[in-house]
């Protein structure tokens, strides 16, 4: 039995009140109807059955009509369960319209899918074959889905997981989206929750514009998600999706084109498996997912060779096994590594596997349970002591003191166990002394509040503007937007800067702790801006980068190919790490923050002026996303001194400039080594020049700055504001430097 403890708290449940819009019609097709295997018993849920679309005159209820709204492509509400456009928190800008028998039909779902597919080369063929018959229609305002609202509510580790899929494996993200959509709509109480939301929102609503209605519904649902079943099921599905696909079922992680058809026929919370039930693999899938069934009753057909552990931590023996060995086989379906109990133990160490033997008190039933428990205890005791006993064919029926044979959990409460483990584990001294476990308890407000207080001292209260960002759907990592005034030859300019907080899973895996980092990003140009700038912009970029980077060595120039229509296609960036050790955040100092900020301001202003000869001055309203920062005054540097850290032969250089001192570690790597390490991470890397390759790579690995050094070598550097940097921080940065192939 899975944890079926979720409770739906609804003040009303108007299942007989028709809340649907009679004007909205859906085409009838076979996908609307759920297939139920005739071999399955009808363990029905009257509520769940209301959401099943049945054939016939009276086959539809108000519940099933609402369910159709969230399933059919021509309904704007079907966007609610689509993934975000970038699989993080992005929205959608257009939908499709097509002619069907002289009548215009909308297709919201196909347009949303094509928006996602256009971002990734992997999906090109699907776009070419499917989208020719559609015409584009823009939304009045950007359309978002529940995914966009859920993403900021996930833990840091869960966000990092989705971000990794979005960047490197969009096929997995798409497959996961199909998985949870099928589970939400057909095999969970989430559809009941959505129905309740829709009914409450729609009561008395007279709006006929479907786009406006959907946007208002998203706003209505947003504050409810934090304590919702939808978030709970999304989170649980995300945690176990990799293991489910790789270990449990025959559905590969990246098989997004393969439908999750089995989930659509698991509309009831309880099922049973026997020799007569059909398609038992479907039950294994459902029981290992957070979706239905929550209770699985099985005969011996599931006693051996079946994994049922991903979501389950309760076993009820409704019949006594023939031997203690068979009993262990039954429990072993759930008592397995990487299962629900194992994962809960990682959280606070307080999980337990609950095993129950139900019986009728003061009956032969209790005699049988008592005899079995006593026999089980004796067998386990002999196994632990490696002793044998003669086989006893008699069955001892007794109820006297049989509870004494029940083994009780041992709690240490800080004390050593009185009984020593006879088979205590020993470990090789060469094994790692620690393993990486991420700290997920640090709320982003910890960093946000600290940085806000520092900027309050750094910024000019008269000319500089600091914007707080709340629930930024475009970029959930954004925490501040800074819009400083910049003076250049007595002309006032603006150069916005976006401040973001990130979590680095890869860097965290290299250190004993967790690594967050704060990014300062200043937009420079879209791809169209560069093409229209005239001449050979690539050589112009190279000469500017070579000139200005020497003045501001902390700043990296980055190209983001996924943002070619945005001014963030070409941007300047500084990353500062925040290490977590022993549960405490090593916060940035005012000095470190100010040096990074001043160098980025100088660089961005000088670069934009040089690139566009003063004809462009980006402002906040020109940007789709909030990101900016700037300042002027050319900064000249000199080498102050060279030193080495204790227990470390690496040599760091301290560079002084009018924008503040910084310390740097440099190396030179061959172009061959650079390509081997990074080409696989960049789409169509080989078509670019070495210079453009380095700019793209700068956006993939925080902290490290790559630039060409002739035609055969690449210059790599990593920097940090000087003054407050510690030796252990240098060592951790060196470790990252080596990991990304720069050392």
């Amino acid at each position: 039995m899975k944890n079926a403890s979720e409770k739906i708290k609804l003040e009303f449940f108007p299942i007989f009140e028709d809340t649907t819009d009679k004007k909205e019609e859906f085409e009838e097709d076979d996908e609307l109807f759920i297939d139920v295997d005739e071999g399955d018993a009808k363990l029905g849920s009257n509520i769940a059955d209301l959401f099943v679309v049945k054939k016939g005159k009276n086959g539809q209820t108000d519940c099933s009509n609402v369910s159709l709204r969230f399933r059919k492509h021509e309904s704007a509400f079907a966007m609610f369960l689509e993934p975000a456009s970038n699989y993080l928190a992005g929205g959608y800008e257009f939908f499709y319209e097509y002619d069907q028998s002289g009548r215009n039909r909308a297709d919201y779902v196909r347009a949303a899918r094509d928006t996602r597919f256009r971002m990734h080369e992997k999906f090109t063929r699907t776009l070419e074959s499917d989208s020719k018959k559609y015409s584009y229609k823009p939304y009045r305002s950007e359309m978002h889905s529940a995914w966009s609202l859920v993403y900021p509510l996930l833990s840091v580790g869960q966000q990092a997981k989705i971000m990794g899929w979005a960047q490197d494996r969009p096929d997995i993200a798409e497959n996961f989206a199909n998985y949870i959509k099928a589970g939400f709509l057909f095999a969970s109480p989430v559809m009941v929750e959505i129905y309740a939301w829709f009914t409450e929102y729609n009561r008395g609503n007279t709006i006929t514009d479907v786009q406006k209605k959907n946007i208002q519904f998203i706003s209505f649902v947003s504050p409810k998600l934090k304590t919702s079943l939808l978030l709970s099921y999304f989170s649980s599905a995300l945690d176990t999706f990799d293991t489910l696909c790789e270990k449990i079922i025959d559905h590969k992680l990246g098989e997004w084109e393969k439908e999750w058809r089995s989930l659509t026929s698991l509309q009831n919370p309880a099922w049973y498996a026997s020799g007569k039930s059909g398609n038992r693999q479907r039950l294994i899938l459902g029981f290992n997912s957070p979706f239905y069934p929550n209770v699985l009753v099985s005969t011996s057909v599931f006693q051996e060779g079946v994994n049922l552990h991903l979501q389950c931590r309760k076993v009820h023996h409704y019949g006594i096994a023939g031997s203690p060995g068979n009993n262990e086989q039954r429990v072993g379906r759930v008592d397995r590594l990487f299962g629900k109990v194992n994962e809960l133990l990682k959280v606070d160490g307080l999980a337990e596997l609950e095993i129950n033997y139900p019986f009728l008190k003061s009956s032969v039933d209790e005699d049988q349970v008592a005899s079995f428990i006593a026999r089980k205890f004796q067998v386990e005791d002999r196994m632990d002591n490696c002793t044998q006993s003669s086989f006893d064919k008699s069955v001892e029926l007794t109820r006297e003191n049989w509870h004494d044979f029940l083994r009780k959990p041992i709690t240490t409460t800080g004390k050593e166990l009185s009984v020593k483990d006879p088979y205590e584990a020993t470990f090789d001294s060469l094994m790692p002394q620690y393993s990486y476990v991420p700290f997920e308890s640090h709320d982003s407000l910890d960093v946000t509040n600290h940085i806000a207080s520092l900027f309050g001292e750094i910024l000019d209260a008269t000319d500089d503007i600091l914007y707080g960002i709340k629930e930024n759907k475009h970029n959930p990592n954004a925490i501040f937007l800074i819009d400083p005034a910049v003076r250049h030859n007595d002309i006032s300019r603006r150069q916005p800067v976006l401040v973001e907080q990130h979590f680095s899973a890869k860097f965290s895996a290299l250190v004993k702790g967790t690594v967050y980092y704060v990014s300062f990003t200043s937009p420079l140009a879209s791809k169209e801006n560069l093409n229209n700038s005239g001449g050979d912009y690539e050589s112009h970029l190279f000469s500017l980068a070579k000139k200005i980077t020497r003045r501001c060595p902390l700043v990296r120039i980055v190209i983001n190919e996924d943002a070619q229509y945005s001014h963030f296609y070409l941007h300047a960036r500084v990353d500062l790490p925040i290490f977590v050790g022993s549960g405490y955040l090593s916060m940035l100092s005012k000095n470190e923050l100010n040096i990074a900020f001043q160098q980025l301001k100088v660089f961005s202003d000088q670069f934009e002026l040089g690139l566009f000869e003063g004809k462009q001055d980006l402002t906040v309203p020109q940007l789709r996303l909030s990101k900016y920062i700037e300042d002027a005054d050319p900064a000249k540097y000199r080498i102050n001194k060279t030193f080495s850290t204790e227990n470390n032969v690496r040599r760091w250089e301290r560079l002084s400039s009018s924008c503040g001192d910084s310390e740097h570690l440099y190396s030179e790597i061959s172009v061959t080594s650079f390509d081997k390490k990074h080409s696989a991470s960049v789409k169509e890397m080989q078509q670019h020049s070495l210079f453009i390759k380095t700019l793209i790579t700068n956006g993939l690995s925080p902290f490290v700055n790559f630039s060409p050094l002739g035609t055969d070598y690449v210059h790599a550097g990593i920097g940090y504001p000087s003054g407050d940097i510690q030796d252990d921080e240098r060592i951790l940065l060196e470790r990252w430097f080596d990991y990304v192939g720069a050392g």
Side-chain angles (χ1 to χ4, degrees):
M1 176 183 292
K2 297 195 299 193
N3 274 345
S5 59
E6 300 93 343
K7 298 180 180 179
I8 305 174
K9 298 179 180 179
L10 306 175
E11 295 181 0
F12 59 90
F13 190 63
I15 56 177
F16 300 112
E17 176 186 348
D18 193 350
T19 61
T20 56
D21 188 346
K22 295 297 190 299
K23 296 179 181 179
E24 187 165 10
E25 299 176 0
F26 300 111
E27 293 296 312
E28 185 174 293
D29 58 53
D30 291 338
E31 292 184 1
L32 301 181
F33 306 104
I34 295 176
D35 299 323
V36 179
D37 197 305
E38 293 181 359
D40 293 321
K42 186 64 174 178
L43 300 176
S45 161
N46 289 335
I47 292 179
D49 193 53
L50 292 169
F51 292 87
V52 179
V53 180
K54 305 180 184 69
K55 296 182 179 180
K57 184 177 180 181
N58 299 316
Q60 289 183 246
T61 65
D62 181 51
C63 295
S64 63
N65 287 337
V66 171
S67 176
L68 285 177
R69 283 177 172 265
F70 291 88
R71 291 162 54 187
K72 297 301 293 176
H73 288 204
E74 59 264 36
S75 169
F77 283 92
M79 292 292 294
F80 183 75
L81 294 178
E82 285 295 295
S85 60
N86 58 357
Y87 302 110
L88 303 177
Y92 295 93
E93 297 180 350
F94 68 88
F95 63 97
Y96 285 149
E97 197 172 84
Y98 63 99
D99 181 76
Q100 186 178 61
S101 303
R103 181 179 179 182
N104 287 335
R105 289 275 188 181
D107 194 326
Y108 297 94
V109 173
R110 178 62 59 83
R113 191 193 71 172
D114 284 359
T115 297
R116 300 190 298 272
F117 285 6
R118 282 188 177 86
M119 298 181 185
H120 301 284
E121 182 182 288
K122 187 183 293 287
F123 302 128
T124 302
R125 283 189 298 175
T126 303
L127 284 169
E128 291 176 350
S129 60
D130 289 345
S131 61
K132 295 179 181 178
K133 63 181 180 179
Y134 298 105
S135 59
Y136 295 83
K137 296 292 182 181
Y139 288 119
R140 292 181 179 84
S141 60
E142 197 170 37
M143 190 80 75
H144 286 273
S145 65
W147 184 305
S148 301
L149 306 178
V150 165
Y151 180 80
L153 302 177
L154 300 175
S155 69
V156 173
Q158 290 172 327
Q159 289 183 354
K161 185 176 188 177
I162 295 179
M163 188 176 296
W165 289 348
Q167 293 175 348
D168 304 322
R169 292 297 305 274
D171 53 334
I172 298 179
E174 193 68 24
N175 193 26
F176 176 72
N178 295 335
Y179 167 66
I180 60 169
K181 186 175 182 179
F184 286 167
L185 287 170
F186 298 100
S188 75
V190 173
M191 188 60 238
V192 182
E193 183 177 59
I194 293 173
Y195 172 78
W197 289 339
F198 179 83
T199 303
E200 183 181 358
Y201 163 75
N202 201 44
R203 178 175 286 129
N205 194 318
T206 59
I207 297 174
T208 57
D209 188 308
V210 292
Q211 291 184 32
K212 185 176 181 180
K213 199 170 185 178
N214 188 42
I215 292 171
Q216 285 189 353
F217 178 70
I218 290 287
S219 299
F220 173 80
V221 167
S222 180
K224 302 176 182 293
L225 284 175
K226 194 169 185 178
T227 57
S228 68
L229 289 177
L230 190 149
L231 174 60
S232 176
Y233 274 70
F234 188 103
S235 179
S236 182
L238 179 62
D239 289 339
T240 57
F241 186 63
D242 306 67
T243 306
L244 179 72
C245 292
E246 294 174 347
K247 305 288 186 182
I248 306 297
I249 60 173
D250 185 24
H251 193 139
K252 305 301 181 186
L253 266 173
E255 285 186 321
W256 65 270
E257 293 178 288
K258 183 177 179 181
E259 295 182 355
W260 292 88
R261 188 78 179 182
S262 295
L263 288 176
T264 65
S265 57
L266 291 174
Q267 70 274 21
N268 290 314
W271 294 86
Y272 84 81
S274 69
K276 294 183 179 180
S277 59
N279 195 359
R280 293 197 289 267
Q281 287 300 316
R282 175 192 55 171
L283 298 180
I284 294 173
L285 162 61
F287 198 67
N288 278 292
S289 75
F291 309 119
Y292 292 156
N294 290 329
V295 177
L296 179 60
V297 183
S298 174
T299 64
S300 59
V301 296
F302 276 176
Q303 181 171 296
E304 298 180 13
V306 176
N307 293 312
L308 301 171
H309 59 293
L310 290 191
Q311 302 289 341
C312 180
R313 64 182 183 92
K314 293 182 181 180
V315 178
H316 298 267
H317 294 275
Y318 68 84
I320 300 300
S323 69
N326 286 344
N327 182 81
E328 287 302 309
Q329 283 288 348
R330 294 180 179 182
V331 176
R333 302 311 96 219
V334 174
D335 186 14
R336 309 182 74 80
L337 287 176
F338 313 112
K340 183 70 173 180
V341 177
N342 192 248
E343 293 304 312
L344 290 174
L345 283 171
K346 294 179 182 179
V347 178
D348 54 17
L350 299 177
E352 66 177 17
L353 174 61
E354 185 178 320
I355 303 173
N356 298 283
Y357 296 89
F359 59 87
L360 295 175
K361 190 175 182 180
S362 301
S363 69
V364 175
D365 198 22
E366 183 178 357
D367 288 333
Q368 291 177 332
V369 171
S371 177
F372 176 79
I373 294 298
R375 177 67 172 166
K376 179 175 178 290
F377 181 91
Q378 294 164 2
V379 170
E380 290 171 346
D381 193 48
R382 293 190 182 103
M383 289 177 66
D384 287 342
N385 291 281
C386 298
T387 60
Q388 294 182 342
S389 63
S390 58
F391 179 71
D392 188 355
K393 295 182 179 180
S394 64
V395 177
E396 183 180 353
L397 297 179
T398 177
R399 289 194 296 271
E400 186 178 354
N401 299 325
W402 70 271
H403 289 89
D404 294 341
F405 293 104
L406 294 172
R407 298 186 186 274
K408 299 175 178 60
I410 300 174
T411 55
T412 61
T413 62
K415 301 178 181 179
E416 293 187 4
L417 294 175
S418 59
V419 181
K420 182 176 176 59
D421 186 347
Y423 308 107
E424 187 174 3
T426 59
F427 300 95
D428 192 329
S429 60
L430 297 178
M431 293 291 287
Q433 297 302 304
Y434 59 85
S435 59
Y436 166 62
V437 179
F439 289 89
E440 297 182 352
S441 59
H442 298 288
D443 192 275
S444 61
L445 287 177
D446 296 336
V447 177
T448 302
N449 293 335
H450 176 73
I451 293 179
S453 64
L454 296 182
F455 271 123
E457 302 177 42
I458 294 171
L459 297 178
D460 186 329
T462 304
D463 295 323
D464 299 339
I465 304 173
L466 177 66
Y467 298 97
I469 298 175
K470 295 181 179 180
E471 299 181 0
N472 188 319
K473 296 181 177 62
H474 294 290
N475 184 356
N477 297 309
I479 55 177
F480 291 119
L481 171 64
I482 307 173
D483 190 19
V486 180
R487 288 283 176 181
H488 183 77
N489 296 334
D490 296 327
I491 299 175
S492 180
R493 295 164 51 84
R494 311 300 297 193
Q495 183 72 29
V497 172
L498 182 71
V499 184
E500 301 170 306
Q501 179 194 348
H502 296 272
F503 161 74
S504 176
K506 292 180 179 179
F507 202 164
S508 299
L510 301 176
V511 303
K512 189 175 182 179
T514 304
V515 180
Y516 299 96
Y517 63 96
V518 177
S519 291
F520 305 94
T521 306
S522 183
L524 296 169
S526 67
K527 192 169 186 178
E528 183 180 10
N529 291 145
L530 291 177
N531 290 329
N532 294 336
S533 62
D536 182 6
Y537 73 80
E538 186 173 322
S539 61
H540 195 187
L541 285 178
F542 181 75
S543 62
L544 279 173
K546 187 175 181 181
K547 177 182 178 183
I548 306 177
T549 301
R550 298 285 288 175
R551 303 173 185 171
C552 306
L554 285 176
V555 183
R556 297 182 294 137
I557 311 172
V558 175
I559 281 182
N560 180 2
E561 289 193 309
D562 292 332
Q564 58 182 301
Y565 301 110
S566 161
H567 290 290
F568 294 102
Y569 172 71
L570 178 71
H571 61 267
R573 180 170 174 171
V574 177
D575 299 320
L576 295 179
I578 301 176
F579 299 107
V580 178
S582 302
Y584 296 97
L585 286 165
S586 301
M587 288 296 192
L588 298 172
S589 69
K590 176 184 174 182
N591 179 61
E592 292 168 340
L593 200 68
N594 190 40
I595 291 173
F597 180 69
Q598 298 300 333
Q599 287 202 18
L600 184 61
K601 287 202 300 182
V602 169
F603 183 95
S604 302
D605 183 56
Q606 294 295 306
F607 202 95
E608 188 180 30
L609 282 169
L611 186 60
F612 296 103
E613 299 178 348
K615 297 178 181 178
Q616 174 177 294
D617 179 24
L618 291 177
T619 60
V620 170
Q622 291 177 273
L623 303 173
R624 292 294 305 278
L625 302 180
S626 308
K627 304 181 179 182
Y628 293 59
I629 182 169
E630 253 182 346
D631 234 351
D633 286 346
K636 297 181 180 179
Y637 78 96
R638 68 182 186 279
I639 295 179
N640 237 1
K641 65 178 181 177
T642 302
F643 59 92
S644 60
T645 61
E646 185 179 357
N647 300 323
N648 188 10
V649 298
R650 294 292 181 83
R651 301 189 70 80
W652 288 67
E653 291 182 351
R654 177 174 293 172
L655 305 183
S656 297
S657 79
S658 59
C659 294
D661 296 353
S662 55
E663 297 176 12
H664 297 265
L665 180 67
Y666 299 110
S667 73
E668 297 176 7
I669 57 177
S670 68
V671 171
T672 302
S673 298
F674 175 81
D675 284 343
K676 184 177 180 180
K677 179 68 178 180
H678 298 286
S679 291
S681 303
V682 183
K683 297 180 294 185
E684 301 178 357
M685 173 73 97
Q686 298 305 323
Q687 74 177 8
H688 297 298
S689 66
L690 178 60
F691 174 59
I692 298 299
K693 287 181 185 180
T694 61
L695 298 190
I696 295 173
T697 308
N698 285 343
L700 302 177
S701 302
F703 312 117
V704 180
N705 186 32
F706 294 99
S707 59
L709 191 63
T711 57
D712 298 325
Y713 289 90
V714 172
H715 182 276
I718 192 167
Y720 195 88
S722 63
D724 299 315
I725 186 172
Q726 306 298 312
D727 284 349
D728 57 347
E729 290 177 325
R730 291 191 187 96
I731 294 171
L732 294 177
L733 289 171
E734 289 169 11
R735 192 175 297 172
W736 177 252
F737 197 58
D738 292 337
Y739 173 78
V740 298

